[in-house]
Amino acid sequence: MRTADWQDYELIDTSSGERLERWGDIILIRPDPQIIWDSEKKDPRWRSAHARYHRSNKGGGHWELYKKMPDVWPISRKGLTFRLKPMGFKHTGLFPEQAVNWDYVSEIIGKAGRPVKVLNLFGYTGAATLACLKAGASVTHVDASKGMVQWAKENAAVSGLAERPVRWLVDDCVKFVQREQRRGNRYDGIIMDPPSYGRGPGGEVWKLEEQMDGLLRLCLTVMSEEPLFLVLNSYTTGLSPSVMEYLLNVLMVPKLGGTVSAGEIGLTVTSTGMVLPCGNTAIWRGEGLC
């Protein structure tokens, strides 16, 4: 399992359906349904957290604040700064396990020896976009949420990347790629972190299992003549690494060559030294990277 190194983030402990996490100086307790073990909570920070997210049986949930904490606070990694805040449905605006993929694409871009254009679909608050910009790529960042795109812009600004070549777009990702195909725009790398379910700005319904094949086929039409990578992330239970690997092998390799790999990504738990699985990633690599 691939894991990322962090200083400003720490998965301290896990027990009884919850994570104990440190985000900079802020300690949070958040639910995680895969934590089915009821291990002893020895770390005293279980009893001194700043806030805990409680899920509701009716859907959603709420944050319970135990200590005064800032509305927004920063954490950093490898020269990038991310502004965090407690959001609805337990999130903070960052998925720290994805840092392994930021490092991966940054290395490819840095070694390319040529201008690299990256398309980041479902770009969220922009962590992957920032990593690509810092590595020297130009990036088109697309997300259906105006608020998330604004948040990504703010992260770019505090990371000193606001003047780098980037397009920030609030749009339905499928419709955007269709228009890019007609316009003849091409990309050397594509990153996708699609939700399991969502709605576009015009109310369009997105269901990952139903639309993933079609979106990947569309993405093939906007790849450059010498593409470098396509990174597909998923938190959907039905899309195992093997399924994602099969999908990319069927769609990408016959047309573009290259190779495909897939696996889980996770976070090391400080209290046990073991790794908590946090999602799946499948990666297609171009011929020159095999």
Side-chain angles (χ1 to χ4, degrees):
M1 191 182 306
R2 297 161 62 225
T3 61
D5 57 304
W6 276 92
Q7 291 184 338
D8 276 9
Y9 171 83
E10 180 186 6
L11 179 51
I12 303 167
D13 197 10
T14 62
S15 180
S16 305
E18 293 181 313
R19 301 182 184 189
L20 177 66
E21 300 170 296
R22 178 179 60 82
W23 302 80
D25 296 327
I26 303 300
I27 306 298
L28 300 178
I29 300 173
R30 299 191 301 153
D32 188 329
Q34 69 179 334
I35 299 173
I36 59 175
W37 46 91
D38 185 17
S39 52
E40 185 179 357
K41 297 179 178 179
K42 295 181 179 179
D43 195 291
R45 285 170 289 187
W46 280 108
R47 295 172 292 281
S48 61
H50 290 81
R52 176 184 244 128
Y53 187 86
H54 297 279
R55 275 189 170 147
S56 168
N57 293 331
K58 299 179 180 179
H62 70 279
W63 287 94
E64 180 182 6
L65 298 181
Y66 299 133
K67 294 181 179 179
K68 185 177 180 180
M69 57 182 283
D71 294 331
V72 179
W73 72 97
I75 66 170
S76 299
R77 183 179 186 273
K78 295 188 176 182
L80 301 177
T81 299
F82 312 103
R83 300 173 74 254
L84 307 180
K85 60 183 176 183
M87 302 165 59
F89 198 65
K90 79 177 182 180
H91 297 306
T92 64
L94 189 71
F95 293 94
E97 65 274 8
Q98 287 293 333
V100 292
N101 292 324
W102 312 337
D103 293 345
Y104 176 82
V105 296
S106 294
E107 182 178 3
I108 292 177
I109 292 166
K111 291 180 177 179
R114 59 181 171 91
V116 176
K117 291 178 62 179
V118 175
L119 174 61
N120 186 12
L121 298 173
F122 312 95
Y124 196 50
T125 60
T129 292
L130 270 58
C132 292
L133 290 173
K134 191 172 188 297
S138 60
V139 184
T140 298
H141 175 107
V142 186
D143 196 279
S145 168
K146 183 178 180 180
M148 292 301 106
V149 173
Q150 178 59 37
W151 194 338
K153 289 181 181 180
E154 294 168 1
N155 281 337
V158 297
S159 295
L161 299 170
E163 303 304 316
R164 296 292 178 96
V166 57
R167 290 194 295 163
W168 304 106
L169 299 169
V170 179
D171 206 342
D172 175 83
C173 288
V174 173
K175 292 181 179 178
F176 174 77
V177 177
Q178 289 171 338
R179 289 196 297 273
E180 289 292 87
Q181 177 189 9
R182 293 193 295 268
R183 289 187 286 243
N185 288 335
R186 299 293 180 262
Y187 297 90
D188 303 298
I190 297 178
I191 301 168
M192 286 189 284
D193 200 350
S196 299
Y197 178 86
R199 289 185 179 273
E204 305 89 348
V205 175
W206 166 270
K207 292 183 179 180
L208 183 59
E209 295 94 330
E210 296 177 5
Q211 294 186 258
M212 195 69 260
D213 179 275
L215 179 56
L216 282 170
R217 291 178 187 274
L218 269 177
C219 286
L220 275 169
T221 69
V222 297
M223 299 292 279
S224 68
E225 293 185 0
E226 296 182 74
L228 298 172
F229 62 83
L230 184 144
V231 177
L232 171 63
N233 297 303
S234 174
Y235 293 90
T236 302
T237 305
L239 284 181
S240 68
S242 297
V243 169
M244 295 166 66
E245 183 175 15
Y246 196 104
L247 181 62
L248 292 191
N249 267 305
V250 168
L251 297 182
M252 305 288 294
V253 175
K255 293 185 179 295
L256 298 177
T259 61
V260 176
S261 61
E264 291 182 299
I265 57 176
L267 295 166
T268 302
V269 182
T270 302
S271 65
T272 63
M274 295 186 287
V275 177
L276 179 71
C278 297
N280 303 320
T281 298
I283 299 172
W284 172 85
R285 295 181 294 274
E287 291 285 4
L289 302 173
C290 300

PDB file of all heavy atoms in Angstrom, residues 31 53-63 88-90:
ATOM      1  N   PRO A  31     -15.470  10.433  12.041  1.00  0.00           N
ATOM      2  CA  PRO A  31     -15.941   9.056  11.845  1.00  0.00           C
ATOM      3  C   PRO A  31     -15.317   8.416  10.614  1.00  0.00           C
ATOM      4  O   PRO A  31     -14.988   9.088   9.642  1.00  0.00           O
ATOM      5  CB  PRO A  31     -17.450   9.226  11.670  1.00  0.00           C
ATOM      6  CG  PRO A  31     -17.618  10.608  11.141  1.00  0.00           C
ATOM      7  CD  PRO A  31     -16.531  11.424  11.782  1.00  0.00           C
ATOM      8  N   TYR A  53     -16.739  15.176  14.983  1.00  0.00           N
ATOM      9  CA  TYR A  53     -17.876  15.156  14.056  1.00  0.00           C
ATOM     10  C   TYR A  53     -18.779  13.979  14.401  1.00  0.00           C
ATOM     11  O   TYR A  53     -18.320  12.835  14.501  1.00  0.00           O
ATOM     12  CB  TYR A  53     -17.413  15.039  12.603  1.00  0.00           C
ATOM     13  CG  TYR A  53     -18.540  15.192  11.611  1.00  0.00           C
ATOM     14  CD1 TYR A  53     -18.944  16.452  11.172  1.00  0.00           C
ATOM     15  CD2 TYR A  53     -19.234  14.091  11.131  1.00  0.00           C
ATOM     16  CE1 TYR A  53     -19.989  16.605  10.279  1.00  0.00           C
ATOM     17  CE2 TYR A  53     -20.285  14.226  10.238  1.00  0.00           C
ATOM     18  CZ  TYR A  53     -20.659  15.486   9.818  1.00  0.00           C
ATOM     19  OH  TYR A  53     -21.699  15.636   8.931  1.00  0.00           O
ATOM     20  N   HIS A  54     -20.075  14.273  14.594  1.00  0.00           N
ATOM     21  CA  HIS A  54     -21.066  13.251  14.899  1.00  0.00           C
ATOM     22  C   HIS A  54     -21.966  13.046  13.683  1.00  0.00           C
ATOM     23  O   HIS A  54     -22.552  14.005  13.168  1.00  0.00           O
ATOM     24  CB  HIS A  54     -21.938  13.659  16.091  1.00  0.00           C
ATOM     25  CG  HIS A  54     -21.192  13.828  17.370  1.00  0.00           C
ATOM     26  ND1 HIS A  54     -20.828  12.770  18.179  1.00  0.00           N
ATOM     27  CD2 HIS A  54     -20.721  14.948  17.984  1.00  0.00           C
ATOM     28  CE1 HIS A  54     -20.191  13.216  19.243  1.00  0.00           C
ATOM     29  NE2 HIS A  54     -20.097  14.537  19.149  1.00  0.00           N
ATOM     30  N   ARG A  55     -22.068  11.822  13.238  1.00  0.00           N
ATOM     31  CA  ARG A  55     -22.981  11.519  12.139  1.00  0.00           C
ATOM     32  C   ARG A  55     -24.404  11.372  12.663  1.00  0.00           C
ATOM     33  O   ARG A  55     -24.635  10.932  13.784  1.00  0.00           O
ATOM     34  CB  ARG A  55     -22.565  10.226  11.441  1.00  0.00           C
ATOM     35  CG  ARG A  55     -21.505  10.436  10.384  1.00  0.00           C
ATOM     36  CD  ARG A  55     -21.298   9.178   9.575  1.00  0.00           C
ATOM     37  NE  ARG A  55     -20.462   9.444   8.418  1.00  0.00           N
ATOM     38  CZ  ARG A  55     -19.619   8.571   7.897  1.00  0.00           C
ATOM     39  NH1 ARG A  55     -19.510   7.371   8.430  1.00  0.00           N
ATOM     40  NH2 ARG A  55     -18.901   8.872   6.839  1.00  0.00           N
ATOM     41  N   SER A  56     -25.362  11.737  11.810  1.00  0.00           N
ATOM     42  CA  SER A  56     -26.772  11.591  12.142  1.00  0.00           C
ATOM     43  C   SER A  56     -27.336  10.350  11.470  1.00  0.00           C
ATOM     44  O   SER A  56     -26.945  10.006  10.351  1.00  0.00           O
ATOM     45  CB  SER A  56     -27.547  12.831  11.683  1.00  0.00           C
ATOM     46  OG  SER A  56     -28.941  12.602  11.753  1.00  0.00           O
ATOM     47  N   ASN A  57     -28.239   9.676  12.148  1.00  0.00           N
ATOM     48  CA  ASN A  57     -28.903   8.516  11.548  1.00  0.00           C
ATOM     49  C   ASN A  57     -29.767   8.908  10.361  1.00  0.00           C
ATOM     50  O   ASN A  57     -30.115   8.071   9.528  1.00  0.00           O
ATOM     51  CB  ASN A  57     -29.773   7.807  12.595  1.00  0.00           C
ATOM     52  CG  ASN A  57     -28.945   7.180  13.694  1.00  0.00           C
ATOM     53  OD1 ASN A  57     -27.801   6.786  13.467  1.00  0.00           O
ATOM     54  ND2 ASN A  57     -29.518   7.071  14.881  1.00  0.00           N
ATOM     55  N   LYS A  58     -30.107  10.196  10.269  1.00  0.00           N
ATOM     56  CA  LYS A  58     -30.942  10.680   9.172  1.00  0.00           C
ATOM     57  C   LYS A  58     -30.115  11.221   8.008  1.00  0.00           C
ATOM     58  O   LYS A  58     -30.652  11.738   7.049  1.00  0.00           O
ATOM     59  CB  LYS A  58     -31.865  11.788   9.690  1.00  0.00           C
ATOM     60  CG  LYS A  58     -32.819  11.331  10.782  1.00  0.00           C
ATOM     61  CD  LYS A  58     -33.679  12.469  11.272  1.00  0.00           C
ATOM     62  CE  LYS A  58     -34.631  12.012  12.370  1.00  0.00           C
ATOM     63  NZ  LYS A  58     -35.468  13.135  12.888  1.00  0.00           N
ATOM     64  N   GLY A  59     -28.778  11.071   8.111  1.00  0.00           N
ATOM     65  CA  GLY A  59     -27.886  11.591   7.079  1.00  0.00           C
ATOM     66  C   GLY A  59     -27.209  12.868   7.533  1.00  0.00           C
ATOM     67  O   GLY A  59     -27.771  13.637   8.306  1.00  0.00           O
ATOM     68  N   GLY A  60     -25.993  13.101   7.029  1.00  0.00           N
ATOM     69  CA  GLY A  60     -25.263  14.293   7.444  1.00  0.00           C
ATOM     70  C   GLY A  60     -24.767  14.159   8.868  1.00  0.00           C
ATOM     71  O   GLY A  60     -24.483  13.066   9.362  1.00  0.00           O
ATOM     72  N   GLY A  61     -24.685  15.276   9.547  1.00  0.00           N
ATOM     73  CA  GLY A  61     -24.211  15.279  10.917  1.00  0.00           C
ATOM     74  C   GLY A  61     -23.814  16.673  11.344  1.00  0.00           C
ATOM     75  O   GLY A  61     -24.201  17.655  10.715  1.00  0.00           O
ATOM     76  N   HIS A  62     -23.028  16.759  12.432  1.00  0.00           N
ATOM     77  CA  HIS A  62     -22.630  18.072  12.928  1.00  0.00           C
ATOM     78  C   HIS A  62     -21.315  17.969  13.689  1.00  0.00           C
ATOM     79  O   HIS A  62     -20.945  16.896  14.178  1.00  0.00           O
ATOM     80  CB  HIS A  62     -23.711  18.661  13.831  1.00  0.00           C
ATOM     81  CG  HIS A  62     -23.828  17.947  15.147  1.00  0.00           C
ATOM     82  ND1 HIS A  62     -24.528  16.765  15.298  1.00  0.00           N
ATOM     83  CD2 HIS A  62     -23.303  18.244  16.380  1.00  0.00           C
ATOM     84  CE1 HIS A  62     -24.444  16.361  16.551  1.00  0.00           C
ATOM     85  NE2 HIS A  62     -23.711  17.231  17.229  1.00  0.00           N
ATOM     86  N   TRP A  63     -20.614  19.104  13.781  1.00  0.00           N
ATOM     87  CA  TRP A  63     -19.397  19.201  14.578  1.00  0.00           C
ATOM     88  C   TRP A  63     -19.746  19.627  15.999  1.00  0.00           C
ATOM     89  O   TRP A  63     -20.517  20.559  16.199  1.00  0.00           O
ATOM     90  CB  TRP A  63     -18.443  20.219  13.976  1.00  0.00           C
ATOM     91  CG  TRP A  63     -17.762  19.764  12.715  1.00  0.00           C
ATOM     92  CD1 TRP A  63     -18.165  19.995  11.428  1.00  0.00           C
ATOM     93  CD2 TRP A  63     -16.550  19.012  12.627  1.00  0.00           C
ATOM     94  NE1 TRP A  63     -17.286  19.432  10.540  1.00  0.00           N
ATOM     95  CE2 TRP A  63     -16.285  18.815  11.247  1.00  0.00           C
ATOM     96  CE3 TRP A  63     -15.676  18.483  13.574  1.00  0.00           C
ATOM     97  CZ2 TRP A  63     -15.173  18.117  10.798  1.00  0.00           C
ATOM     98  CZ3 TRP A  63     -14.561  17.781  13.130  1.00  0.00           C
ATOM     99  CH2 TRP A  63     -14.311  17.604  11.748  1.00  0.00           C
ATOM    100  N   GLY A  88     -19.253  20.438   6.380  1.00  0.00           N
ATOM    101  CA  GLY A  88     -20.308  19.452   6.509  1.00  0.00           C
ATOM    102  C   GLY A  88     -19.825  18.095   6.040  1.00  0.00           C
ATOM    103  O   GLY A  88     -18.896  17.988   5.235  1.00  0.00           O
ATOM    104  N   PHE A  89     -20.445  17.045   6.531  1.00  0.00           N
ATOM    105  CA  PHE A  89     -20.070  15.662   6.220  1.00  0.00           C
ATOM    106  C   PHE A  89     -18.609  15.404   6.528  1.00  0.00           C
ATOM    107  O   PHE A  89     -17.888  14.854   5.713  1.00  0.00           O
ATOM    108  CB  PHE A  89     -20.407  15.301   4.768  1.00  0.00           C
ATOM    109  CG  PHE A  89     -20.453  13.811   4.535  1.00  0.00           C
ATOM    110  CD1 PHE A  89     -21.411  13.039   5.168  1.00  0.00           C
ATOM    111  CD2 PHE A  89     -19.540  13.200   3.718  1.00  0.00           C
ATOM    112  CE1 PHE A  89     -21.448  11.663   4.977  1.00  0.00           C
ATOM    113  CE2 PHE A  89     -19.563  11.825   3.524  1.00  0.00           C
ATOM    114  CZ  PHE A  89     -20.525  11.067   4.154  1.00  0.00           C
ATOM    115  N   LYS A  90     -18.137  15.867   7.641  1.00  0.00           N
ATOM    116  CA  LYS A  90     -16.886  15.522   8.334  1.00  0.00           C
ATOM    117  C   LYS A  90     -15.606  16.034   7.699  1.00  0.00           C
ATOM    118  O   LYS A  90     -14.523  15.889   8.274  1.00  0.00           O
ATOM    119  CB  LYS A  90     -16.766  14.001   8.531  1.00  0.00           C
ATOM    120  CG  LYS A  90     -16.312  13.210   7.299  1.00  0.00           C
ATOM    121  CD  LYS A  90     -16.154  11.731   7.604  1.00  0.00           C
ATOM    122  CE  LYS A  90     -15.645  10.956   6.394  1.00  0.00           C
ATOM    123  NZ  LYS A  90     -15.479   9.528   6.674  1.00  0.00           N
TER     124      LYS A  90
END
